[in-house]
Amino acid sequence: MAINWTDAQIEQVVNAVIKNLGATQTSTSTTGWDSTQYNGRKLIGVYADMNDAIDAATQGYKAVRAMTIEEREKIITEIRKLCREEAPIMAKLGVSETKMGRVDHKTAKHVLVADKTPGTSDVVSQVKTGDYGLTLTEMAPFGVVGSITPSTNPSETVICNSIGMIAAGNGVVFNPHPNAIATSNYAVDLVNRACYQAGGPKVLVASVVKPTLDTADVMYKHPAIRLLVCTGGPGVVRAVLSSGKKAIGAGAGNPPVIVDDTADVRKAGKDIIDGCTFDNNLPCIAEKEVFAFNSIADELIDSMIANGAYKISSEQALALSKIVLTEVKNPKTGIVKKTVSRDCVGRDAKVLLAKIGVNVGDEVRCIICETDFEHDFVQHELMMPILPIVRVNDIDQAIDLAVKAEHGNRHTAHMHSKNIDNLTRFARAVETTIFVKNAPSYAGIGFGGEGHTTFTIAGPTGEGLTSARSFTRYRRCVMSDNFRII
Ligand code: NAD
């Protein structure tokens, strides 16, 4: 049940959490916690030293192992309840701390996590019986999971991963994104509060006060960490996959959208703007570039404008690209690479437009422009409400360019069409983990679409939309000759 927080209450908690950022607890002390207070209290499960955090998560793992499935599910039910209740706080906190995204959409994302992240029922055993007796295969926990989380969905990822990892029987230690520490650690605290309220230990999941690449390195090398789960960009996914440990990598995407001449074009325009602007384009699944058949492109653009898009000229697009992408020189190789400006990621469309001297109101939620395929807006994963549209002649050209723009991430792609041959051809060619037909991108993670949700979509390592079962290892138990009753 959602709580109707007043703006003043939310503001008070957000300020208290940000002020409280430096507060720590030692591995032996959990005092100073009053479950009825936010102000001035220490966040539970947040340690100064990564080694202490791993020790606490190890104790958490021992506690989970001793629980019945029913007890684990009780904790998960309480996490869902608090996640729903405190969704507006975490949403406001996330936007205040990272300066990215939208409070209303972040609130909806937390409710989605609470409602649609699978719990213990996702972990199922298999049995095979035959002439030689019975073989049981169970999905067992790994132990302590080390989880790296992004700035784009910080508390959503902490809570979603916690639910799945606890459901599977693991302990968890987080190394959150340095730009989203308060929000991520608030979520760690929430999971621990829920656990205690449901009769579990005081600390079930842990994190550090100041996560850095060094604390991540401690995590990679610590013998207690049996599984690494990384949700982030290509650099960190590469680092985790080179750790020598079992790792799940949820990496970058650059989702293309094709709109062909059989689509419901007016609906496609609305769906694409709805998906592209969700949380200001922060979700890795959100529409990043459009390939529209020439014959319907004008109508599509009209529909987008009718649904809150503002069309800029190619000169304006060039000026904007120089602001949202900055050139960074690698000090070792001397190679200059364009990188998205962190000052622009996840910002409102009106803020981005103001940077090129265009002043609009809140009614504008997306910037659109017509570009060629080579344009920076098509080639880079911007994570901001800017949507380039490339005109194509036919389905062959559309698929060819869309597959190239996806850059082999095999993450997510979208299509608006009623031609099942075209839909099937694109889905086969692009080979993405998620393929959404005739809906906004977020339908792919269960928001207005069937199926469970996750904020860790593991394309590179193949788990797909992760859930509790992704964080398990298979164990076999064989009973020779007996237990077959037929
Ligand atoms: P990011 O790559 O900047 O950071 C992710 C985390 O990795 C942070 O905690 C960061 O401090 C850490 N990190 C970065 N480099 C590291 C290294 N070499 N070693 C150890 N830790 C390192 O991610 P972000 O900007 O917060 O998120 C955006 C990116 O993540 C986008 O590319 C987006 O597509 C991707 N993403 C993917 C998913 C998914 O489910 N596939 C979900 C969310 C975000």
Side-chain angles (χ1 to χ4, degrees):
M1 225 218 350
I3 288 181
N4 287 327
W5 300 90
T6 64
D7 285 351
Q9 280 171 322
I10 292 176
E11 203 66 43
Q12 193 187 15
V13 177
V14 169
N15 290 340
V17 173
I18 290 178
K19 201 171 126 201
N20 208 29
L21 245 185
T24 63
Q25 58 183 137
T26 67
S27 51
T28 52
S29 165
T30 50
T31 54
W33 175 43
D34 176 346
S35 65
T36 62
Q37 294 269 322
Y38 290 103
N39 287 339
R41 74 167 176 77
K42 292 170 180 172
L43 297 176
I44 309 299
V46 181
Y47 297 88
D49 187 320
M50 176 53 92
N51 287 297
D52 284 341
I54 294 172
D55 287 349
T58 306
Q59 294 309 315
Y61 169 51
K62 285 185 186 156
V64 177
R65 282 209 71 174
M67 285 176 202
T68 61
I69 295 170
E70 196 180 343
E71 285 167 339
R72 251 187 257 167
E73 193 56 41
K74 228 173 123 187
I75 291 173
I76 290 166
T77 303
E78 194 65 25
I79 297 172
R80 296 188 198 284
K81 179 173 164 268
L82 291 192
C83 182
R84 244 174 252 124
E85 286 177 1
E86 297 177 32
I89 289 177
M90 289 182 281
K92 180 78 196 291
L93 190 52
V95 175
S96 305
E97 185 182 21
T98 65
K99 314 277 182 288
M100 304 190 299
R102 296 174 54 103
V103 174
D104 50 347
H105 294 166
K106 282 194 188 294
T107 304
K109 282 159 77 182
H110 285 86
V111 174
L112 179 68
V113 165
D115 290 348
K116 295 192 87 172
T117 307
T120 54
S121 61
D122 193 54
V123 179
V124 284
S125 304
Q126 294 159 17
V127 166
K128 164 110 178 67
T129 64
D131 292 344
Y132 298 104
L134 176 148
T135 290
L136 168 69
T137 305
E138 290 190 292
M139 293 174 151
F142 268 89
V144 183
V145 182
S147 176
I148 306 247
T149 52
S151 58
T152 46
N153 321 302
S155 38
E156 300 90 313
T157 308
V158 166
I159 296 175
C160 187
N161 282 3
S162 292
I163 291 176
M165 289 167 186
I166 293 166
N170 299 289
V172 197
V173 61
F174 289 97
N175 196 67
H177 198 288
N179 296 344
I181 307 175
T183 314
S184 311
N185 284 348
Y186 183 93
V188 167
D189 174 83
L190 179 145
V191 171
N192 286 323
R193 273 188 284 133
C195 171
Y196 191 65
Q197 278 168 30
K202 275 193 176 168
V203 178
L204 186 54
V205 299
S207 175
V208 284
V209 174
K210 224 176 175 336
T212 59
L213 293 185
D214 290 339
T215 56
D217 206 48
V218 173
M219 183 193 257
Y220 298 164
K221 296 190 175 130
H222 198 290
I225 304 292
R226 300 299 190 108
L227 167 68
L228 290 164
V229 177
C230 171
T231 317
V236 64
V237 170
R238 238 188 336 268
V240 165
L241 295 185
S242 323
S243 68
K245 289 196 172 160
K246 159 78 182 175
I248 294 177
N254 193 35
V257 195
I258 292 179
V259 186
D260 78 8
D261 54 355
T262 66
D264 179 340
V265 179
R266 307 245 29 119
K267 177 177 180 300
K270 178 177 187 313
D271 284 354
I272 293 170
I273 296 301
D274 284 349
C276 171
T277 56
F278 190 57
D279 208 15
N280 279 345
N281 202 252
L282 290 178
C284 50
I285 55 154
E287 293 84 348
K288 299 284 190 285
E289 62 278 339
V290 177
F291 297 92
F293 275 35
N294 237 325
S295 51
I296 52 88
D298 288 337
E299 189 187 350
L300 183 71
I301 289 168
D302 283 349
S303 166
M304 288 177 170
I305 291 169
N307 284 286
Y310 183 95
K311 189 165 182 248
I312 56 172
S313 67
S314 39
E315 292 75 29
Q316 288 172 312
L318 181 65
L320 190 58
S321 74
K322 288 184 177 152
I323 294 167
V324 303
L325 287 157
T326 48
E327 294 194 336
V328 180
K329 190 173 179 181
N330 182 318
K332 282 189 197 145
T333 62
I335 295 172
V336 176
K337 243 179 94 179
K338 284 185 183 164
T339 322
V340 286
S341 160
R342 284 278 159 185
D343 291 340
C344 297
V345 172
R347 300 306 197 273
D348 291 346
K350 69 172 184 189
V351 172
L352 298 171
L353 280 171
K355 290 179 189 290
I356 54 165
V358 177
N359 293 312
V360 296
D362 286 327
E363 69 287 355
V364 170
R365 46 186 184 137
C366 191
I367 303 165
I368 57 171
C369 51
E370 289 197 49
T371 70
D372 58 22
F373 173 72
E374 304 299 336
H375 198 279
D376 282 337
F377 288 169
V378 175
Q379 300 301 325
H380 291 269
E381 185 198 24
L382 297 180
M383 294 181 286
M384 49 191 96
I386 297 176
L387 191 64
I389 299 154
V390 179
R391 288 177 188 254
V392 291
N393 296 321
D394 54 30
I395 191 65
D396 293 327
Q397 192 188 14
I399 293 176
D400 179 44
L401 296 184
V403 169
K404 284 182 183 144
E406 213 273 326
H407 299 313
N409 294 317
R410 303 201 294 181
H411 192 299
T412 298
H414 312 284
M415 186 157 178
H416 294 264
S417 169
K418 289 186 179 152
N419 179 324
I420 53 170
D421 293 333
N422 287 354
L423 286 163
T424 308
R425 274 187 62 194
F426 183 33
R428 284 195 180 149
V430 75
E431 293 187 284
T432 46
T433 303
I434 297 179
F435 189 80
V436 178
K437 299 165 182 165
N438 301 324
S441 50
Y442 43 69
I445 53 166
F447 196 76
E450 290 300 327
H452 74 272
T453 202
T454 182
F455 281 85
T456 298
I457 299 151
T461 48
E463 290 77 8
L465 286 95
T466 57
S467 61
R469 65 179 62 189
S470 316
F471 312 121
T472 61
R473 51 192 276 267
Y474 288 91
R475 292 177 59 191
R476 174 185 279 199
C477 186
V478 178
M479 177 59 147
S480 177
D481 295 336
N482 278 308
F483 282 146
R484 179 170 157 90
I485 59 165
I486 51 172

